[in-house]
Amino acid sequence: MKESGKTVDLNCDFGEGYGAYTFGQDAELLQYVTSVNIACGFHAGDPHTMRRAVEQSLAAGAAIGAHPGLPDRLGFGRREMAITPEEAYDFTVYQIGALSAFVRAAGGRLQHVKPHGALYHMANSNSAIAEAIVRAAAATGDALTVYGQSGSLLLEAARREGLAVASEVFADRAYERDGSLMARNKPGALIADEEQAAAHAVAMVKNGYAITVDGERAPVQADTICLHGDGPHAVQFASRIRKALIKAGIRIEVLDHSK
């Protein structure tokens, strides 16, 4: 297959268990992804889980990012909370700092930050929350890349702050015509067929559009694709998507804005 000249990062959320509880298929997914977003102790994760996740990721050569969420373990950080921008800043600095310490202790470098769950979606549409998260990322001094949904206010805020950005898309989610994700509770919002998800991933990277639920095309920028690890067929999805991208001539590489 002729090279398309396109490259993409594959990321997954990682280390989202805590205590005696496990979540997702971390070890199996590491062979398919190039970057990971490690839970930092609020929505999931604990010191021991964070350390192990960092060590696993470094051993696999995956770039490590902080995955700060809302302080809501019972809701797994997926329920929106009425927080102030100041709280969003403090939550984010706290969580980045915790993970960064483990990464440095293991001899690695923290590459990026990607908000989790409800905090991610709040940052997509709330400019004050987006700006607070970006200020927190900038304040760490680690020159972090900000991962955010394609077309989001979070990416706009990061660009204004002078931070590197990675525009994220989702292979297993349907899109609205404006390029936003379809709400999970709507019929057809989740793509359960791995062939359809793989074709969707290729179209977004190679052609710059997402397929809407009604068959239309929504423009997106695909620097990184999120591979969810919590579905029953997550590993098969990841394998199929990676193979489809390579077959289409798309190179799968770690994003590196440090050079």
Side-chain angles (χ1 to χ4, degrees):
M1 173 71 65
K2 183 180 179 182
E3 287 284 330
S4 71
K6 299 283 188 177
T7 64
V8 71
D9 167 69
L10 300 180
N11 79 79
C12 73
D13 300 342
F14 204 78
E16 290 190 306
Y18 58 90
Y21 303 99
T22 59
F23 186 85
Q25 301 175 53
D26 288 0
E28 295 86 350
L29 282 173
L30 266 180
Q31 62 186 304
Y32 301 112
V33 301
T34 46
S35 67
V36 296
N37 321 301
I38 298 179
C40 305
F42 270 31
H43 76 281
D46 60 43
H48 308 301
T49 302
M50 291 164 69
R51 175 183 55 78
R52 289 193 297 267
V54 166
E55 291 171 352
Q56 281 182 289
S57 302
L58 289 176
I64 296 175
H67 198 37
L70 295 172
D72 179 22
R73 281 191 186 273
L74 287 178
F76 196 64
R78 288 178 174 166
R79 302 182 294 192
E80 190 165 317
M81 297 174 66
I83 63 172
T84 66
E86 182 180 50
E87 288 173 318
Y89 175 88
D90 292 343
F91 292 163
T92 304
V93 169
Y94 184 96
Q95 292 177 82
I96 289 175
L99 183 67
S100 180
F102 280 109
V103 175
R104 290 197 305 272
R109 180 181 72 86
L110 191 63
Q111 179 208 242
H112 66 275
V113 58
K114 173 187 166 182
H116 164 80
L119 186 60
Y120 181 93
H121 293 296
M122 291 164 68
N124 287 345
S125 56
N126 184 317
S127 60
I129 296 296
E131 289 165 4
I133 292 171
V134 167
R135 284 192 294 106
T140 66
D142 289 326
L144 299 178
T145 297
V146 175
Y147 280 37
Q149 188 176 325
S150 176
S152 67
L153 293 180
L154 179 62
L155 295 186
E156 291 181 15
R159 291 187 183 101
R160 287 196 300 271
E161 188 70 26
L163 297 182
V165 301
S167 179
E168 183 177 47
V169 296
F170 298 81
D172 61 353
R173 295 287 302 277
Y175 281 73
E176 301 284 5
R177 292 188 181 188
D178 63 357
S180 64
L181 288 178
M182 178 174 286
R184 282 178 174 268
N185 59 359
K186 289 186 177 181
L190 302 179
I191 299 174
D193 180 85
E194 64 184 58
E195 295 299 325
Q196 183 182 353
H200 195 197
V202 170
M204 288 188 288
V205 178
K206 197 167 186 176
N207 303 322
Y209 63 79
I211 304 167
T212 68
V213 71
D214 54 2
E216 298 295 324
R217 297 178 178 182
V220 294
Q221 172 66 37
D223 300 322
T224 184
I225 300 174
C226 179
L227 302 179
H228 288 119
D230 55 342
H233 307 294
V235 175
Q236 295 95 307
F237 261 59
S239 174
R240 183 67 191 89
I241 289 169
R242 185 181 177 101
K243 288 177 181 176
L245 291 166
I246 292 172
K247 185 176 181 181
I250 297 164
R251 298 190 304 278
I252 299 171
E253 298 179 354
V254 175
L255 293 173
D256 187 0
H257 298 290
S258 65
K259 297 177 180 179

